[in-house]
Amino acid sequence: METQMFMAAFLIGVAGSLHCIGMCGPLAMALPVRDKHMIGKVAGRLLYNFGRTATYAFMGLFSGLIGKVFYLAGYQQVLSILLGVLVIAAVLYPSLVKGKINVIGFGLVNSIKRGLTRVFNNGSYPGLMFTGVLNGFLPCGLVYMALAGSMATGGMISGSLFMAAFGLGTLPVMMAVSLGGAFASESIKSKIRKAVPAMMVVMGLVLILRGLNLGIPYVSPAVGAEGQEVHSCH
């Protein structure tokens, strides 16, 4: 996978983490850390965020595996276009997508929430990391968008690394929020909520362009018969 894809995943995480302030910020700020020293607080919150990132990387293995199946079948470009259309459709018709996800994952989400309740007040380092691991499985439109990108990489390892880069991109803002103990203002959160759908549309358009095989370097590179990008020399 190109360096550009890793960078895109990281930047999606950075920009998307602003959206996470309203969604995951309260949980991150309320993390119970037994060690009251600054080093202990930082270490505990790092473990929590690394736990989330580990979950994203784990999910990337499976989304990458699905992408690999399409790649081996010669449908990598079709998959990229399809994923792009689905991402944009999720923005234009959010109620349809949200309804399907809620029906399918209702039992799983409740189980995850019960697990979070049990481990949240532990306060130990393993407990904090496991809290992050479980939190990474909770429904999140931004994570679904990143998973679409990881699926388009066409490989288990590349898909996992894509999601790991996404998770690391969310780390700076989430660390600042959890340590600073302050929410963003309502006006900022409102602007962020409006920006996230636009970011998802851009991601969808990029996936569609990559699948169209237009021969535009980095944006829509030409793909040969074996699914490899073709680079011409001048």
Side-chain angles (χ1 to χ4, degrees), residues 86-99:
L86 288 175
V87 168
I88 294 174
V91 175
L92 298 179
Y93 304 101
S95 59
L96 293 177
V97 177
K98 185 177 181 181

Side-chain angles (χ1 to χ4, degrees), residues 13 153 166 187:
T153 64
F166 164 77
S187 62

